[in-house]
Amino acid sequence: MKSDELFALLRRRGVLWPSAEIYGGAQGLYDYGPLGTALKRRIEDTWSAWFLGLSEDYHLIEPAEILPEAVVRASGHLENFTDPEVSCDSCHAVFRADTLLETVRPEGVDGLSAARIGTILAESSISCPSCGKRSLSVPRPFNMMFGLDFGVTGDERVYLQPETAQGSYLAFARMWDVGRHALPLGIAVIGRAYRNEIAPRQVLFRMRAFTQAELQIFFDPAAFPVPFDSVRQEELPVLRVPARERGQESPERVSAEKLVESGLPEFYVYHMVQSYRFYRDVLKYPADAIRLFEKSDAERAFYNRIQFDVEVHLESLGGYKELGAVHYRGDYDLTRHGQGSTKDLSVTAKDGHRVLPHVLELTFGVDRNLWALADTHLVRDGDRSVWKLPPYLAPVALGVFPLLRKEHTAYARALTAELARDGISVEFDDAGTIGKRYARMDEAGTPYCVTVDGGTVASEGAERGTVTVRLRDTKAQERVARNDLASRIRSSLQPPRPSG
Amino acid sequence: MKSDELFALLRRRGVLWPSAEIYGGAQGLYDYGPLGTALKRRIEDTWSAWFLGLSEDYHLIEPAEILPEAVVRASGHLENFTDPEVSCDSCHAVFRADTLLETVRPEGVDGLSAARIGTILAESSISCPSCGKRSLSVPRPFNMMFGLDFGVTGDERVYLQPETAQGSYLAFARMWDVGRHALPLGIAVIGRAYRNEIAPRQVLFRMRAFTQAELQIFFDPAAFPVPFDSVRQEELPVLRVPARERGQESPERVSAEKLVESGLPEFYVYHMVQSYRFYRDVLKYPADAIRLFEKSDAERAFYNRIQFDVEVHLESLGGYKELGAVHYRGDYDLTRHGQGSTKDLSVTAKDGHRVLPHVLELTFGVDRNLWALADTHLVRDGDRSVWKLPPYLAPVALGVFPLLRKEHTAYARALTAELARDGISVEFDDAGTIGKRYARMDEAGTPYCVTVDGGTVASEGAERGTVTVRLRDTKAQERVARNDLASRIRSSLQPPRPSG
């Protein structure tokens, strides 16, 4: 489906819609409806189960989402978290310089300075997209953070966090104190980040408020032991910088072992594999739609020593889109916050030496993945749509239908309440034909539907106390004892964890 | 425990700490650590299970937390969401006028105008608490919303939401469209609210960023049917306005039936009972510590027709504190947003007439309740602390211990992994004596501990494959087959739902 068509479907089903819709919307902000809220929560829980499952020493925390100015000064965001903007001297419209240039420079502008972008803009013959005149200004840096004044006197400047990672760095010293005093120590945050995007676009891909899930792993650069043998043979779909420079778009399959031989550290490749498995085996994106896209020196932030983005090809947006990344950030973050706070953030490793931990950062865009799960898993089946979400991601796990409203409603409602008390996400539906109810549940991603009929409520007979279970993906139907229902489906509703 | 002592314990255990601690903290902001994050999530899930369990037509959504200026103009927040502030003309310190007055006016200042507060201040002989001079200014209204500039030109003013309720009002029209077109329709939001408190204090009770859970029930004022018989005999601990005006502090027990006879609507009293049951039976605050505190005409916001706050007596804060409330808001919200957006927000009721729904609002402070659950449930047991949380609220449901590190670790780790895959929140611990491990788990609120010992791993014998389960509250121990563990504890981990 095209982006517009997919968005219309998601809006109609109450998955999401533009925020403050009755006021004409707010640019770059979206509201999640009941299905979207449940799906988003399950994506977060599924991410947590996988990435916190990598080690007992990885923990989820929830820091405040507002940062004092000293924090963003130390992190570099105050100075550097900018996009180049240009304005039209004639009509005063404002644009992102890099976005304007993409039309004449398909290779992109990542890594170019504002000055270089300005030169290219001047040399190109780009006119103002709004009024058509050739009156664009030179590019200026525009800081994308939202600042606020704290307190009554307004002399305390704070910022909405532009990324969730800062909360982990600020918490590191405290987490070290309350934990086992061992590296690696992982600190995960699922929270909102805020960016004053010059041009919000592509629905959930360029928002002004969005949810990130990030795991920051603090480790001793002298020793980050990983069970590499468990991933050695895994083939990863990588697109390395040299291949990209030859114009290649498709990834090549390279084993983890070969990637290490090419110079990447074992701990880094191990986490590439675990990330790749999450996108392929847990979120179940089609394996041939995923690529691990290496960023070049010019494209990476200067403190990132190695960076591969996890990209998935999305029909709705017409290409590969970044859904997450693996960043090796070195000791940049703790060095900067050690200086900024004048606290010593180094710790004593097991062998007694002091070490300033390095950081491996696994990032994940919750909203982007929600959209991608709609793009890739919501399929047409004739004139109907079926959202083939894995059961542990489905907003509603089970639909319960009375076949006849008069005879079977009481039983079906009691069953619904019982399953809800058992912790299963369940929805009662008695509107329209059974076929229509299946169709509604299919579109909402519900993997199981249960129908209560005459056999169920009969006072005797082989079908007494049994219900018809219908599976979304195969449409297969089976008679199951009511008392076996929960235990039959429960394990499929648990998000997978990494093995070993 | 006193507030300081309780906070020190919670900080030491990694439940929460001041945000940006290494930079000296940020006033009115806190970070939740691993235990606090898990507890907060469970409080939210428990609230959802109960209040969304009241009706199939109550749904949880997640709106953006930023509001366009037109929204807060219509809601009245732009004009009226103010606290009176005074400053010292000598030392320029700033204070909340109402807080200053509380020292000389124990009956409080709720409902007084800024002008009246100014007169009382002038008549009192209050000096500046900072420099001691009698140089306080007259009170001025101070708007507590945080404003931001959206977009590059800075001409689009938006606000961090001062309460989560606005997201429900904005979503009502869309939710009506995607739903069953029936009233009552409930829209719940769990989200952050932001207030520029002049004087943040009392840890989680007066923060600048905090989490609210709110259910807005939109209903036809001509008919809001509730199963009143199921609550008729319930005795509620109410403190009505006349009793308060006589100086009474303790509630009186009055039946739901009598409250209706006194003039409160059945739908209102029904929801008072369901709220009271949530605090008493689900969160398990001591029944004699709860009171339903009626707000007078002067104290209520003018659009609230009826308001009872749910208050719980907290030792740490030395008195009754508001943890939630039941507000009957009439048609104020949809009227204002209908005018502000120029959209008709009335709907067609079942009998065909057009109706502008009224709103019953059930509010709940997530952070405040987290603190209150520590205050009331974390008890001293000799020189140890036991956090007697109900199992469905416990951050960790089950601790798994190898009796001997060498012999029993492999089995205990496999059991830990298996229970985690089964969806049970489990933690492995092999540090120190079994007694020390029990103590750590008791303090963290873990209801069940399991020890793997020689009998468990033996190749034969009656204890093979069984473990010792120890209960936090009774300290009773029992041998349980490993394979029965999950099913034995599972139902206790499900948050309760309202019956009937």
PDB file of all heavy atoms in Angstrom, chain A residues 396-402 412 415-416 419 424-429 437-438 441 446-452 467-470 485 489:
ATOM      1  N   VAL A 396      -5.106  -7.329  20.317  1.00  0.00           N
ATOM      2  CA  VAL A 396      -6.107  -8.211  20.923  1.00  0.00           C
ATOM      3  C   VAL A 396      -5.700  -9.638  20.563  1.00  0.00           C
ATOM      4  O   VAL A 396      -5.533  -9.968  19.398  1.00  0.00           O
ATOM      5  CB  VAL A 396      -7.522  -7.905  20.380  1.00  0.00           C
ATOM      6  CG1 VAL A 396      -8.538  -8.877  20.965  1.00  0.00           C
ATOM      7  CG2 VAL A 396      -7.896  -6.465  20.671  1.00  0.00           C
ATOM      8  N   ALA A 397      -5.531 -10.476  21.575  1.00  0.00           N
ATOM      9  CA  ALA A 397      -5.070 -11.840  21.313  1.00  0.00           C
ATOM     10  C   ALA A 397      -6.207 -12.724  20.832  1.00  0.00           C
ATOM     11  O   ALA A 397      -6.017 -13.617  20.011  1.00  0.00           O
ATOM     12  CB  ALA A 397      -4.450 -12.436  22.576  1.00  0.00           C
ATOM     13  N   LEU A 398      -7.406 -12.441  21.344  1.00  0.00           N
ATOM     14  CA  LEU A 398      -8.497 -13.384  21.128  1.00  0.00           C
ATOM     15  C   LEU A 398      -9.834 -12.654  21.047  1.00  0.00           C
ATOM     16  O   LEU A 398     -10.133 -11.808  21.896  1.00  0.00           O
ATOM     17  CB  LEU A 398      -8.503 -14.366  22.319  1.00  0.00           C
ATOM     18  CG  LEU A 398      -9.374 -15.589  22.191  1.00  0.00           C
ATOM     19  CD1 LEU A 398      -8.487 -16.827  22.233  1.00  0.00           C
ATOM     20  CD2 LEU A 398     -10.380 -15.661  23.299  1.00  0.00           C
ATOM     21  N   GLY A 399     -10.621 -12.986  20.022  1.00  0.00           N
ATOM     22  CA  GLY A 399     -11.979 -12.485  19.912  1.00  0.00           C
ATOM     23  C   GLY A 399     -12.958 -13.557  20.364  1.00  0.00           C
ATOM     24  O   GLY A 399     -12.763 -14.730  20.064  1.00  0.00           O
ATOM     25  N   VAL A 400     -13.984 -13.149  21.091  1.00  0.00           N
ATOM     26  CA  VAL A 400     -15.002 -14.114  21.540  1.00  0.00           C
ATOM     27  C   VAL A 400     -16.349 -13.710  20.957  1.00  0.00           C
ATOM     28  O   VAL A 400     -16.802 -12.571  21.156  1.00  0.00           O
ATOM     29  CB  VAL A 400     -15.095 -14.158  23.083  1.00  0.00           C
ATOM     30  CG1 VAL A 400     -16.210 -15.096  23.521  1.00  0.00           C
ATOM     31  CG2 VAL A 400     -13.774 -14.594  23.688  1.00  0.00           C
ATOM     32  N   PHE A 401     -16.983 -14.628  20.206  1.00  0.00           N
ATOM     33  CA  PHE A 401     -18.241 -14.331  19.529  1.00  0.00           C
ATOM     34  C   PHE A 401     -19.347 -15.285  19.996  1.00  0.00           C
ATOM     35  O   PHE A 401     -19.157 -16.497  19.944  1.00  0.00           O
ATOM     36  CB  PHE A 401     -18.121 -14.536  18.012  1.00  0.00           C
ATOM     37  CG  PHE A 401     -16.934 -13.901  17.358  1.00  0.00           C
ATOM     38  CD1 PHE A 401     -16.411 -14.456  16.187  1.00  0.00           C
ATOM     39  CD2 PHE A 401     -16.342 -12.750  17.871  1.00  0.00           C
ATOM     40  CE1 PHE A 401     -15.323 -13.875  15.554  1.00  0.00           C
ATOM     41  CE2 PHE A 401     -15.250 -12.167  17.240  1.00  0.00           C
ATOM     42  CZ  PHE A 401     -14.738 -12.738  16.071  1.00  0.00           C
ATOM     43  N   PRO A 402     -20.490 -14.777  20.370  1.00  0.00           N
ATOM     44  CA  PRO A 402     -21.661 -15.652  20.481  1.00  0.00           C
ATOM     45  C   PRO A 402     -22.217 -15.885  19.068  1.00  0.00           C
ATOM     46  O   PRO A 402     -22.352 -14.925  18.294  1.00  0.00           O
ATOM     47  CB  PRO A 402     -22.637 -14.831  21.328  1.00  0.00           C
ATOM     48  CG  PRO A 402     -22.245 -13.406  21.095  1.00  0.00           C
ATOM     49  CD  PRO A 402     -20.786 -13.384  20.721  1.00  0.00           C
ATOM     50  N   ALA A 412     -20.746 -16.445  26.335  1.00  0.00           N
ATOM     51  CA  ALA A 412     -19.597 -15.792  25.699  1.00  0.00           C
ATOM     52  C   ALA A 412     -19.052 -14.655  26.567  1.00  0.00           C
ATOM     53  O   ALA A 412     -17.843 -14.445  26.661  1.00  0.00           O
ATOM     54  CB  ALA A 412     -19.989 -15.269  24.314  1.00  0.00           C
ATOM     55  N   LEU A 415     -17.108 -16.169  29.423  1.00  0.00           N
ATOM     56  CA  LEU A 415     -15.812 -16.654  28.929  1.00  0.00           C
ATOM     57  C   LEU A 415     -14.843 -15.483  28.721  1.00  0.00           C
ATOM     58  O   LEU A 415     -13.662 -15.554  29.071  1.00  0.00           O
ATOM     59  CB  LEU A 415     -16.023 -17.428  27.620  1.00  0.00           C
ATOM     60  CG  LEU A 415     -14.776 -17.971  26.922  1.00  0.00           C
ATOM     61  CD1 LEU A 415     -14.016 -18.936  27.842  1.00  0.00           C
ATOM     62  CD2 LEU A 415     -15.149 -18.686  25.620  1.00  0.00           C
ATOM     63  N   THR A 416     -15.358 -14.399  28.160  1.00  0.00           N
ATOM     64  CA  THR A 416     -14.538 -13.208  27.941  1.00  0.00           C
ATOM     65  C   THR A 416     -13.966 -12.703  29.264  1.00  0.00           C
ATOM     66  O   THR A 416     -12.764 -12.438  29.383  1.00  0.00           O
ATOM     67  CB  THR A 416     -15.385 -12.087  27.292  1.00  0.00           C
ATOM     68  OG1 THR A 416     -15.973 -12.595  26.091  1.00  0.00           O
ATOM     69  CG2 THR A 416     -14.542 -10.867  26.973  1.00  0.00           C
ATOM     70  N   LEU A 419     -11.256 -15.104  30.637  1.00  0.00           N
ATOM     71  CA  LEU A 419      -9.963 -15.013  29.952  1.00  0.00           C
ATOM     72  C   LEU A 419      -9.257 -13.702  30.303  1.00  0.00           C
ATOM     73  O   LEU A 419      -8.040 -13.668  30.458  1.00  0.00           O
ATOM     74  CB  LEU A 419     -10.171 -15.137  28.435  1.00  0.00           C
ATOM     75  CG  LEU A 419     -10.600 -16.536  27.969  1.00  0.00           C
ATOM     76  CD1 LEU A 419     -11.119 -16.502  26.534  1.00  0.00           C
ATOM     77  CD2 LEU A 419      -9.436 -17.525  28.082  1.00  0.00           C
ATOM     78  N   ILE A 424      -5.311 -12.550  29.558  1.00  0.00           N
ATOM     79  CA  ILE A 424      -5.293 -12.604  28.095  1.00  0.00           C
ATOM     80  C   ILE A 424      -6.088 -11.423  27.551  1.00  0.00           C
ATOM     81  O   ILE A 424      -7.179 -11.114  28.033  1.00  0.00           O
ATOM     82  CB  ILE A 424      -5.853 -13.960  27.607  1.00  0.00           C
ATOM     83  CG1 ILE A 424      -4.812 -15.041  27.944  1.00  0.00           C
ATOM     84  CG2 ILE A 424      -6.171 -13.940  26.121  1.00  0.00           C
ATOM     85  CD1 ILE A 424      -5.305 -16.438  27.784  1.00  0.00           C
ATOM     86  N   SER A 425      -5.533 -10.759  26.553  1.00  0.00           N
ATOM     87  CA  SER A 425      -6.197  -9.602  25.979  1.00  0.00           C
ATOM     88  C   SER A 425      -7.308 -10.073  25.046  1.00  0.00           C
ATOM     89  O   SER A 425      -7.048 -10.657  24.006  1.00  0.00           O
ATOM     90  CB  SER A 425      -5.154  -8.777  25.225  1.00  0.00           C
ATOM     91  OG  SER A 425      -5.759  -8.050  24.215  1.00  0.00           O
ATOM     92  N   VAL A 426      -8.542  -9.825  25.423  1.00  0.00           N
ATOM     93  CA  VAL A 426      -9.675 -10.479  24.795  1.00  0.00           C
ATOM     94  C   VAL A 426     -10.748  -9.444  24.471  1.00  0.00           C
ATOM     95  O   VAL A 426     -10.854  -8.424  25.156  1.00  0.00           O
ATOM     96  CB  VAL A 426     -10.207 -11.585  25.758  1.00  0.00           C
ATOM     97  CG1 VAL A 426     -10.658 -10.999  27.075  1.00  0.00           C
ATOM     98  CG2 VAL A 426     -11.280 -12.419  25.138  1.00  0.00           C
ATOM     99  N   GLU A 427     -11.492  -9.675  23.399  1.00  0.00           N
ATOM    100  CA  GLU A 427     -12.545  -8.731  23.026  1.00  0.00           C
ATOM    101  C   GLU A 427     -13.799  -9.482  22.634  1.00  0.00           C
ATOM    102  O   GLU A 427     -13.741 -10.413  21.829  1.00  0.00           O
ATOM    103  CB  GLU A 427     -12.051  -7.851  21.868  1.00  0.00           C
ATOM    104  CG  GLU A 427     -12.830  -6.572  21.720  1.00  0.00           C
ATOM    105  CD  GLU A 427     -12.167  -5.616  20.738  1.00  0.00           C
ATOM    106  OE1 GLU A 427     -11.106  -5.057  21.089  1.00  0.00           O
ATOM    107  OE2 GLU A 427     -12.686  -5.471  19.614  1.00  0.00           O
ATOM    108  N   PHE A 428     -14.917  -9.076  23.186  1.00  0.00           N
ATOM    109  CA  PHE A 428     -16.225  -9.655  22.867  1.00  0.00           C
ATOM    110  C   PHE A 428     -16.786  -8.935  21.650  1.00  0.00           C
ATOM    111  O   PHE A 428     -16.660  -7.720  21.540  1.00  0.00           O
ATOM    112  CB  PHE A 428     -17.141  -9.451  24.081  1.00  0.00           C
ATOM    113  CG  PHE A 428     -18.560  -9.872  23.874  1.00  0.00           C
ATOM    114  CD1 PHE A 428     -18.963 -11.165  24.166  1.00  0.00           C
ATOM    115  CD2 PHE A 428     -19.506  -8.968  23.410  1.00  0.00           C
ATOM    116  CE1 PHE A 428     -20.286 -11.554  23.978  1.00  0.00           C
ATOM    117  CE2 PHE A 428     -20.831  -9.357  23.217  1.00  0.00           C
ATOM    118  CZ  PHE A 428     -21.214 -10.654  23.504  1.00  0.00           C
ATOM    119  N   ASP A 429     -17.372  -9.663  20.719  1.00  0.00           N
ATOM    120  CA  ASP A 429     -17.997  -9.003  19.562  1.00  0.00           C
ATOM    121  C   ASP A 429     -19.245  -9.779  19.157  1.00  0.00           C
ATOM    122  O   ASP A 429     -19.172 -10.980  18.865  1.00  0.00           O
ATOM    123  CB  ASP A 429     -17.012  -8.932  18.392  1.00  0.00           C
ATOM    124  CG  ASP A 429     -17.555  -8.094  17.226  1.00  0.00           C
ATOM    125  OD1 ASP A 429     -18.678  -7.555  17.341  1.00  0.00           O
ATOM    126  OD2 ASP A 429     -16.860  -7.973  16.210  1.00  0.00           O
ATOM    127  N   ARG A 437     -17.316 -10.512  11.665  1.00  0.00           N
ATOM    128  CA  ARG A 437     -16.523 -10.396  12.893  1.00  0.00           C
ATOM    129  C   ARG A 437     -15.103 -10.916  12.657  1.00  0.00           C
ATOM    130  O   ARG A 437     -14.140 -10.325  13.116  1.00  0.00           O
ATOM    131  CB  ARG A 437     -17.202 -11.172  14.032  1.00  0.00           C
ATOM    132  CG  ARG A 437     -18.548 -10.572  14.414  1.00  0.00           C
ATOM    133  CD  ARG A 437     -19.186 -11.339  15.566  1.00  0.00           C
ATOM    134  NE  ARG A 437     -20.558 -11.689  15.250  1.00  0.00           N
ATOM    135  CZ  ARG A 437     -21.342 -12.483  16.009  1.00  0.00           C
ATOM    136  NH1 ARG A 437     -20.859 -13.012  17.121  1.00  0.00           N
ATOM    137  NH2 ARG A 437     -22.581 -12.740  15.650  1.00  0.00           N
ATOM    138  N   TYR A 438     -14.981 -12.038  11.924  1.00  0.00           N
ATOM    139  CA  TYR A 438     -13.639 -12.510  11.562  1.00  0.00           C
ATOM    140  C   TYR A 438     -12.877 -11.410  10.822  1.00  0.00           C
ATOM    141  O   TYR A 438     -11.706 -11.158  11.080  1.00  0.00           O
ATOM    142  CB  TYR A 438     -13.726 -13.741  10.655  1.00  0.00           C
ATOM    143  CG  TYR A 438     -14.055 -15.054  11.347  1.00  0.00           C
ATOM    144  CD1 TYR A 438     -14.718 -16.070  10.658  1.00  0.00           C
ATOM    145  CD2 TYR A 438     -13.677 -15.290  12.664  1.00  0.00           C
ATOM    146  CE1 TYR A 438     -15.010 -17.293  11.275  1.00  0.00           C
ATOM    147  CE2 TYR A 438     -13.971 -16.504  13.293  1.00  0.00           C
ATOM    148  CZ  TYR A 438     -14.639 -17.495  12.592  1.00  0.00           C
ATOM    149  OH  TYR A 438     -14.922 -18.697  13.195  1.00  0.00           O
ATOM    150  N   MET A 441     -11.595  -8.718  13.091  1.00  0.00           N
ATOM    151  CA  MET A 441     -10.472  -9.190  13.912  1.00  0.00           C
ATOM    152  C   MET A 441      -9.216  -9.386  13.056  1.00  0.00           C
ATOM    153  O   MET A 441      -8.114  -9.087  13.498  1.00  0.00           O
ATOM    154  CB  MET A 441     -10.849 -10.502  14.613  1.00  0.00           C
ATOM    155  CG  MET A 441     -11.870 -10.325  15.727  1.00  0.00           C
ATOM    156  SD  MET A 441     -11.176  -9.488  17.187  1.00  0.00           S
ATOM    157  CE  MET A 441     -12.671  -9.294  18.180  1.00  0.00           C
ATOM    158  N   THR A 446      -5.800  -9.758  15.226  1.00  0.00           N
ATOM    159  CA  THR A 446      -6.121 -10.756  16.259  1.00  0.00           C
ATOM    160  C   THR A 446      -5.870 -12.167  15.729  1.00  0.00           C
ATOM    161  O   THR A 446      -6.492 -12.577  14.744  1.00  0.00           O
ATOM    162  CB  THR A 446      -7.601 -10.613  16.660  1.00  0.00           C
ATOM    163  OG1 THR A 446      -7.811  -9.259  17.057  1.00  0.00           O
ATOM    164  CG2 THR A 446      -7.963 -11.558  17.791  1.00  0.00           C
ATOM    165  N   PRO A 447      -4.984 -12.926  16.367  1.00  0.00           N
ATOM    166  CA  PRO A 447      -4.641 -14.243  15.803  1.00  0.00           C
ATOM    167  C   PRO A 447      -5.672 -15.334  16.041  1.00  0.00           C
ATOM    168  O   PRO A 447      -5.721 -16.299  15.280  1.00  0.00           O
ATOM    169  CB  PRO A 447      -3.316 -14.597  16.491  1.00  0.00           C
ATOM    170  CG  PRO A 447      -3.329 -13.825  17.772  1.00  0.00           C
ATOM    171  CD  PRO A 447      -4.119 -12.570  17.510  1.00  0.00           C
ATOM    172  N   TYR A 448      -6.481 -15.199  17.114  1.00  0.00           N
ATOM    173  CA  TYR A 448      -7.423 -16.269  17.462  1.00  0.00           C
ATOM    174  C   TYR A 448      -8.834 -15.718  17.627  1.00  0.00           C
ATOM    175  O   TYR A 448      -9.028 -14.684  18.261  1.00  0.00           O
ATOM    176  CB  TYR A 448      -7.025 -16.933  18.787  1.00  0.00           C
ATOM    177  CG  TYR A 448      -5.584 -17.371  18.850  1.00  0.00           C
ATOM    178  CD1 TYR A 448      -4.665 -16.670  19.631  1.00  0.00           C
ATOM    179  CD2 TYR A 448      -5.140 -18.479  18.135  1.00  0.00           C
ATOM    180  CE1 TYR A 448      -3.336 -17.064  19.695  1.00  0.00           C
ATOM    181  CE2 TYR A 448      -3.811 -18.880  18.195  1.00  0.00           C
ATOM    182  CZ  TYR A 448      -2.910 -18.156  18.981  1.00  0.00           C
ATOM    183  OH  TYR A 448      -1.599 -18.546  19.040  1.00  0.00           O
ATOM    184  N   CYS A 449      -9.807 -16.432  17.057  1.00  0.00           N
ATOM    185  CA  CYS A 449     -11.213 -16.105  17.317  1.00  0.00           C
ATOM    186  C   CYS A 449     -11.916 -17.357  17.827  1.00  0.00           C
ATOM    187  O   CYS A 449     -11.643 -18.461  17.366  1.00  0.00           O
ATOM    188  CB  CYS A 449     -11.907 -15.610  16.043  1.00  0.00           C
ATOM    189  SG  CYS A 449     -11.349 -13.985  15.529  1.00  0.00           S
ATOM    190  N   VAL A 450     -12.819 -17.152  18.760  1.00  0.00           N
ATOM    191  CA  VAL A 450     -13.515 -18.254  19.403  1.00  0.00           C
ATOM    192  C   VAL A 450     -15.013 -18.017  19.269  1.00  0.00           C
ATOM    193  O   VAL A 450     -15.479 -16.915  19.549  1.00  0.00           O
ATOM    194  CB  VAL A 450     -13.104 -18.301  20.892  1.00  0.00           C
ATOM    195  CG1 VAL A 450     -14.189 -18.913  21.733  1.00  0.00           C
ATOM    196  CG2 VAL A 450     -11.790 -19.033  21.058  1.00  0.00           C
ATOM    197  N   THR A 451     -15.749 -19.006  18.803  1.00  0.00           N
ATOM    198  CA  THR A 451     -17.193 -18.876  18.690  1.00  0.00           C
ATOM    199  C   THR A 451     -17.898 -19.828  19.662  1.00  0.00           C
ATOM    200  O   THR A 451     -17.559 -21.012  19.746  1.00  0.00           O
ATOM    201  CB  THR A 451     -17.656 -19.172  17.245  1.00  0.00           C
ATOM    202  OG1 THR A 451     -16.957 -18.296  16.353  1.00  0.00           O
ATOM    203  CG2 THR A 451     -19.147 -18.950  17.097  1.00  0.00           C
ATOM    204  N   VAL A 452     -18.847 -19.241  20.388  1.00  0.00           N
ATOM    205  CA  VAL A 452     -19.691 -20.004  21.306  1.00  0.00           C
ATOM    206  C   VAL A 452     -20.974 -20.346  20.556  1.00  0.00           C
ATOM    207  O   VAL A 452     -21.617 -19.443  20.003  1.00  0.00           O
ATOM    208  CB  VAL A 452     -20.014 -19.169  22.562  1.00  0.00           C
ATOM    209  CG1 VAL A 452     -21.062 -19.856  23.428  1.00  0.00           C
ATOM    210  CG2 VAL A 452     -18.738 -18.879  23.343  1.00  0.00           C
ATOM    211  N   VAL A 467     -15.492 -24.885  22.316  1.00  0.00           N
ATOM    212  CA  VAL A 467     -15.754 -23.748  21.427  1.00  0.00           C
ATOM    213  C   VAL A 467     -14.973 -23.957  20.131  1.00  0.00           C
ATOM    214  O   VAL A 467     -14.038 -24.761  20.082  1.00  0.00           O
ATOM    215  CB  VAL A 467     -15.306 -22.429  22.081  1.00  0.00           C
ATOM    216  CG1 VAL A 467     -16.180 -22.079  23.281  1.00  0.00           C
ATOM    217  CG2 VAL A 467     -13.836 -22.491  22.488  1.00  0.00           C
ATOM    218  N   THR A 468     -15.374 -23.240  19.085  1.00  0.00           N
ATOM    219  CA  THR A 468     -14.639 -23.304  17.834  1.00  0.00           C
ATOM    220  C   THR A 468     -13.548 -22.238  17.842  1.00  0.00           C
ATOM    221  O   THR A 468     -13.841 -21.059  18.018  1.00  0.00           O
ATOM    222  CB  THR A 468     -15.571 -23.052  16.634  1.00  0.00           C
ATOM    223  OG1 THR A 468     -16.605 -24.025  16.662  1.00  0.00           O
ATOM    224  CG2 THR A 468     -14.818 -23.139  15.323  1.00  0.00           C
ATOM    225  N   VAL A 469     -12.305 -22.680  17.687  1.00  0.00           N
ATOM    226  CA  VAL A 469     -11.190 -21.736  17.584  1.00  0.00           C
ATOM    227  C   VAL A 469     -10.819 -21.604  16.119  1.00  0.00           C
ATOM    228  O   VAL A 469     -10.641 -22.605  15.423  1.00  0.00           O
ATOM    229  CB  VAL A 469      -9.963 -22.228  18.385  1.00  0.00           C
ATOM    230  CG1 VAL A 469      -8.789 -21.266  18.192  1.00  0.00           C
ATOM    231  CG2 VAL A 469     -10.299 -22.360  19.850  1.00  0.00           C
ATOM    232  N   ARG A 470     -10.732 -20.383  15.632  1.00  0.00           N
ATOM    233  CA  ARG A 470     -10.374 -20.146  14.234  1.00  0.00           C
ATOM    234  C   ARG A 470      -9.085 -19.331  14.198  1.00  0.00           C
ATOM    235  O   ARG A 470      -8.948 -18.338  14.918  1.00  0.00           O
ATOM    236  CB  ARG A 470     -11.529 -19.417  13.548  1.00  0.00           C
ATOM    237  CG  ARG A 470     -11.316 -19.105  12.070  1.00  0.00           C
ATOM    238  CD  ARG A 470     -10.855 -17.687  11.918  1.00  0.00           C
ATOM    239  NE  ARG A 470     -11.007 -17.195  10.553  1.00  0.00           N
ATOM    240  CZ  ARG A 470     -10.584 -16.006  10.190  1.00  0.00           C
ATOM    241  NH1 ARG A 470     -10.028 -15.193  11.057  1.00  0.00           N
ATOM    242  NH2 ARG A 470     -10.746 -15.609   8.945  1.00  0.00           N
ATOM    243  N   LEU A 485      -8.398 -23.490  26.630  1.00  0.00           N
ATOM    244  CA  LEU A 485      -8.105 -22.354  25.748  1.00  0.00           C
ATOM    245  C   LEU A 485      -6.861 -21.588  26.175  1.00  0.00           C
ATOM    246  O   LEU A 485      -5.928 -21.399  25.389  1.00  0.00           O
ATOM    247  CB  LEU A 485      -9.288 -21.378  25.771  1.00  0.00           C
ATOM    248  CG  LEU A 485     -10.287 -21.429  24.641  1.00  0.00           C
ATOM    249  CD1 LEU A 485     -11.311 -20.332  24.857  1.00  0.00           C
ATOM    250  CD2 LEU A 485      -9.588 -21.264  23.291  1.00  0.00           C
ATOM    251  N   ILE A 489      -3.022 -21.238  24.079  1.00  0.00           N
ATOM    252  CA  ILE A 489      -2.489 -20.077  23.357  1.00  0.00           C
ATOM    253  C   ILE A 489      -1.446 -19.297  24.160  1.00  0.00           C
ATOM    254  O   ILE A 489      -0.737 -18.476  23.614  1.00  0.00           O
ATOM    255  CB  ILE A 489      -3.609 -19.107  22.922  1.00  0.00           C
ATOM    256  CG1 ILE A 489      -4.258 -18.441  24.141  1.00  0.00           C
ATOM    257  CG2 ILE A 489      -4.651 -19.837  22.085  1.00  0.00           C
ATOM    258  CD1 ILE A 489      -5.218 -17.318  23.745  1.00  0.00           C
TER     259      ILE A 489
END
